[in-house]
Amino acid sequence: RPLFCASVLDHVTLHVAQLAEIKQQTTSSELSAFCCLFVRCCKTKRPLVMQAPIILLKEGTDTSQGKPQIISNINACEVVVDAVSSTLGPRGLDKLIVDGHGEWRSIYHGAVRQQGKTTISNDGATIMKLLDIVHPAAKTLVDISLSQDAEVGDGTTSVVLLAGEILKCCKTFVEDNVHPQILVRGLRKVALLSIARIKEIAVHVKREDVKEMDDLLKKCAATALSSKVIARQKDFFSQMVVDAVRHLDELLPLNMIGIKKVKGGSLEESRLIDGVGFKKTFSYAGFEMQRKKYTQPKIALLNIELELKAEKENAELRIDNVEEYQKVVDAEWAILYDKLEKIVDSGAKVVLSKLPIGDVATQYFADRDVFCAGRVPDDDLRRTIQACGGAIQTSVSSLSDTVLGTCQLFQEEQIGGDRFNIFTGCPEAKTCTIILRGGAEQFIEETERSLHDAIMIVRRTIKNDAIVAGGGAIEMELSKYLRDYSKTVAGKEQLIIAAVAEAMEVIPRQLCDNAGFDSMNILNRLRQKHAEGGKWFGVDIMNEDVADNFDACVWEPAMVKINAITGATEAAALILSVDETIKNPKSGANDPPPALPGRGRGRPM
Ligand code: ADP
Ligand code: MG
């Protein structure tokens, strides 16, 4: 208080010892406390001026920082890893994810209550995407999983597991006050060493030998598929995937492989079509009279409605006798017939349109031996153009050969409960379509995702033909290599590299755990094999044993592993170098309201 301050400051000239004496003699407790403070200040030579706190952040801002923050981030990542670890490998289990979000939204907007969408999946990237993680640090793991998916297509669970395990082993170092930068440097070194080692031991096959290459591609696809729902049909599907990718041109554009799903039938009834295929959406009267098969037809691709307009349109006509009305009707027919005539004259044998092709037009075409299909979805029409050539026309006035597409064979076929228009032998682009059959919708969707993984793997392997053995073999080899290397360096780096070496063992360990094997026993035997120089020894999932997985043909592209290790170490380094999270009170504003709105807020009665 100013009064007390003043009375103390009177004594400023006094010796500190004297001041201490005053402190003891005075009866006022506040004065005594102030003297105390003053004496301490004089002793430490700190100025007595008290600084007002500097306000930098808005009130309500939540900051947490330092070591506890790093550890809490690591803990969050461990929880995410727990969520996906049980899906790894051929014996991994699937996850069923219900999207409750859709349900909530529909109630909120007063619409019909919808059932949330359910997804059954084994794919790391899909699960991570659907988990809707909000923790800022744990989101990094989602990102690396998605980037692995985009980059190589497979290994999306492995990358998350590796990152989590690396972070776990770094946690002890953080707790022991090792500076995060030292850890980050160690991790970078580990990534470089591992990649160099993979490149060193990866096996290359002769690209020129088409049969050998196809064999290799099939095996890589089979390994990717062996951990999916369609594992039992992996030979069937790996052949299909390799054939599909072989259909493409050098750039291997992914969108040239169409995947169509037809419910019903068995998985083995799925088939690969060398060309474009799409579902017929609508049939008009007269359609059954049309021919369903043409060789080398000309194909007209239109965006024109070929239908008689009903009178409901908004034009108003005043007519006072029947003849006038007849003229109007005749004119409309004349316009339509004119269009139809031009199309038929152009020589097109197959007419596709984005817009409806009505009864009259269908019968007209049927009489003149022309096939037609209306309401073709946009993306299917686009794929047809890219495959068969031609261009979409919005008028019939210039239907020349240059805008008409063509193909070797067109036919309409019944597949399951749907009719498919199928174009094969397409001249322009190399395309193919996979038609998937199967029971439940979720099952077909997961099959599609699995095929996507396998297709990506095959594309990758064609571009980069180095392969390594899977089933934990390459991870065990890296672990041994890093452990040996760590003995040649000194200091903290040695401990970090040795710890990451141990973290690499998470993949074989999890493969064993998911299969219900005794992981300790198997890992010990694997370590022994690798120490003896058996670099491709990994887990034998079929026989609860260890086996040379290169001989067992569990092959994976080296790119999958290189990408996974880079992604995992980068993510771990990123999480370790964040030591402060600042949460702005506003950042929660986008969160959905916690409860349903009450009365009077637009809810329907
Ligand atoms: P990811 O999303 O990471 O690809 P998966 O569930 O597909 O996860 O599991 C991949 C792991 O399973 C890889 O480490 C791979 O080596 C291993 N794996 C695949 N097939 C076999 C097999 N037949 N025997 C042993 N391990 C296998
Ligand atoms: Mg996989």
Side-chain angles (χ1 to χ4, degrees):
R1 291 211 195 141
L3 187 68
F4 292 120
C5 293
S7 73
V8 175
L9 290 179
D10 280 349
H11 298 290
V12 161
T13 45
L14 295 178
H15 194 262
V16 174
Q18 282 174 314
L19 201 62
E21 232 168 77
I22 299 176
K23 185 190 87 187
Q24 274 167 6
Q25 286 163 9
T26 178
T27 48
S28 154
S29 62
E30 272 175 308
L31 186 59
S32 137
F34 198 83
C35 289
C36 208
L37 179 68
F38 194 83
V39 170
R40 222 182 303 139
C41 286
C42 291
K43 279 184 183 161
T44 58
K45 299 201 181 78
R46 243 194 258 143
L48 189 62
V49 195
M50 296 206 183
Q51 267 188 349
I54 298 170
I55 297 172
L56 191 66
L57 302 171
K58 217 184 287 187
E59 198 179 328
T61 305
D62 173 26
T63 72
S64 31
Q65 53 181 307
K67 200 166 92 180
Q69 178 61 32
I70 300 182
I71 293 195
S72 119
N73 283 344
I74 295 179
N75 289 343
C77 293
E78 278 175 27
V79 177
V80 176
V81 172
D82 280 347
V84 290
S85 61
S86 67
T87 66
L88 185 82
R91 295 280 187 268
L93 302 173
D94 295 352
K95 302 273 170 199
L96 192 154
I97 302 154
V98 183
D99 179 13
H101 217 59
E103 205 172 12
W104 169 81
R105 249 188 228 140
S106 56
I107 299 170
Y108 185 64
H109 293 301
V112 199
R113 187 191 175 103
Q114 281 175 357
Q115 188 75 49
K117 184 173 161 35
T118 52
T119 310
I120 297 178
S121 185
N122 179 285
D123 184 45
T126 310
I127 299 171
M128 297 291 279
K129 201 160 55 185
L130 291 176
L131 277 184
D132 218 358
I133 290 169
V134 290
H135 192 283
K139 263 190 186 162
T140 318
L141 296 189
V142 182
D143 293 344
I144 50 168
S145 184
L146 293 183
S147 88
Q148 176 86 7
D149 194 36
E151 195 57 31
V152 281
D154 197 18
T156 49
T157 317
S158 313
V159 68
V160 176
L161 240 67
L162 262 180
E165 194 65 22
I166 291 176
L167 281 171
K168 208 176 189 176
C169 76
C170 289
K171 192 160 101 175
T172 42
F173 291 109
V174 176
E175 279 165 347
D176 291 344
N177 287 330
V178 177
H179 195 276
Q181 282 307 339
I182 299 178
L183 290 172
V184 170
R185 220 176 308 141
L187 291 183
R188 297 252 152 84
K189 181 138 197 191
V190 164
L192 289 180
L193 285 170
S194 309
I195 291 168
R197 179 67 181 164
I198 294 179
K199 286 190 176 153
E200 186 187 328
I201 62 175
V203 178
H204 292 261
V205 283
K206 279 187 238 107
R207 248 173 229 263
E208 303 75 43
D209 188 343
V210 175
K211 195 172 168 309
E212 195 179 328
M213 190 69 188
D214 268 5
D215 220 34
L216 163 84
L217 296 177
K218 244 162 57 188
K219 282 179 183 139
C220 289
T223 307
L225 289 176
S226 65
S227 51
K228 307 289 179 196
V229 276
I230 48 173
R232 268 199 278 156
Q233 289 84 3
K234 68 180 174 191
D235 292 330
F236 175 74
F237 280 108
S238 51
Q239 178 72 50
M240 182 186 279
V241 165
V242 174
D243 288 346
V245 179
R246 284 286 190 202
H247 269 108
L248 306 179
D249 56 14
E250 276 117 70
L251 286 174
L252 307 176
L254 197 56
N255 60 358
M256 278 291 134
I257 301 181
I259 299 186
K260 301 281 162 196
K261 295 166 273 186
V262 184
K263 248 194 262 178
S266 71
L267 265 181
E268 283 86 358
E269 282 170 49
S270 305
R271 50 187 270 212
L272 178 73
I273 292 170
D274 157 31
V276 187
F278 51 82
K279 256 181 228 180
K280 185 177 184 71
T281 47
F282 224 82
S283 304
Y284 283 93
F287 150 77
E288 286 306 334
M289 284 145 56
Q290 286 176 347
R291 188 138 69 96
K292 301 291 184 283
K293 194 168 179 180
Y294 291 90
T295 41
Q296 296 196 327
K298 285 186 185 156
I299 305 164
L301 305 142
L302 307 175
N303 189 9
I304 305 171
E305 197 166 79
L306 297 173
E307 208 172 16
L308 281 175
K309 282 266 188 257
E311 292 82 8
K312 68 178 186 291
E313 297 298 324
N314 51 10
E316 187 180 317
L317 284 178
R318 299 231 168 149
I319 301 164
D320 45 20
N321 58 46
V322 177
E323 286 79 37
E324 289 287 314
Y325 181 71
Q326 187 60 44
K327 271 190 210 160
V328 174
V329 174
D330 286 348
E332 208 184 357
W333 283 73
I335 294 170
L336 179 67
Y337 276 124
D338 180 47
K339 280 193 214 165
L340 295 177
E341 208 181 315
K342 280 193 177 135
I343 294 173
V344 173
D345 285 350
S346 74
K349 283 291 172 198
V350 176
V351 179
L352 304 178
S353 178
K354 257 198 233 183
L355 297 174
I357 296 181
D359 289 338
V360 176
T362 306
Q363 279 161 29
Y364 185 95
F365 286 137
D367 291 343
R368 283 156 191 80
D369 188 28
V370 175
F371 176 91
C372 69
R375 305 188 196 221
V376 179
D378 196 30
D379 53 339
D380 286 332
L381 208 57
R382 251 174 241 274
R383 248 159 52 77
T384 315
I385 293 177
Q386 292 200 331
C388 303
I392 295 185
Q393 295 297 302
T394 46
S395 89
V396 287
S397 53
S398 55
L399 276 179
S400 62
D401 275 1
T402 47
V403 297
L404 296 178
T406 184
C407 69
Q408 283 301 326
L409 177 72
F410 163 79
Q411 57 182 336
E412 186 171 300
E413 255 185 78
Q414 184 81 26
I415 299 178
D418 296 315
R419 293 193 82 90
F420 267 77
N421 295 334
I422 295 170
F423 301 81
T424 45
C426 307
E428 281 291 313
K430 297 178 157 186
T431 58
C432 63
T433 307
I434 294 175
I435 295 184
L436 285 181
R437 306 294 312 274
E441 191 184 323
Q442 284 98 342
F443 186 78
I444 304 189
E445 276 178 14
E446 174 65 0
T447 309
E448 185 187 357
R449 281 191 289 271
S450 312
L451 286 190
H452 168 82
D453 280 18
I455 290 172
M456 290 289 287
I457 284 295
V458 172
R459 285 174 70 223
R460 269 283 146 197
T461 321
I462 289 182
K463 284 184 191 161
N464 190 328
D465 58 359
I467 50 163
V468 294
I474 183 71
E475 286 85 1
M476 284 309 288
E477 180 57 24
L478 288 178
S479 173
K480 173 194 161 254
Y481 175 72
L482 290 175
R483 203 174 297 121
D484 290 349
Y485 179 87
S486 74
K487 289 176 191 151
T488 64
V489 290
K492 288 175 195 157
E493 205 173 34
Q494 179 187 30
L495 295 177
I496 296 166
I497 296 179
V500 180
E502 207 179 317
M504 291 277 178
E505 291 179 355
V506 66
I507 303 285
R509 190 177 328 120
Q510 196 65 44
L511 284 173
C512 291
D513 286 349
N514 288 352
F517 300 165
D518 178 357
S519 56
M520 184 120 72
N521 178 13
I522 292 200
L523 280 186
N524 274 336
R525 286 167 57 196
L526 281 178
R527 281 187 209 117
Q528 183 206 350
K529 287 283 183 199
H530 281 260
E532 289 168 358
K535 60 184 174 191
W536 296 131
F537 270 83
V539 186
D540 181 355
I541 289 285
M542 302 304 149
N543 307 313
E544 185 165 0
D545 199 356
V546 299
D548 188 321
N549 274 350
F550 205 86
D551 291 346
C553 296
V554 182
W555 295 352
E556 290 187 273
M559 274 317 281
V560 173
K561 298 296 168 191
I562 291 179
N563 241 292
I565 288 170
T566 323
T569 45
E570 280 302 320
L574 186 74
I575 290 170
L576 286 172
S577 49
V578 171
D579 77 333
E580 182 162 1
T581 312
I582 303 156
K583 208 162 158 201
N584 190 307
K586 238 192 178 166
S587 62
N590 292 337
D591 295 348
L596 294 176
R599 288 211 288 157
R601 287 175 59 187
R603 237 176 118 198
M605 296 301 286

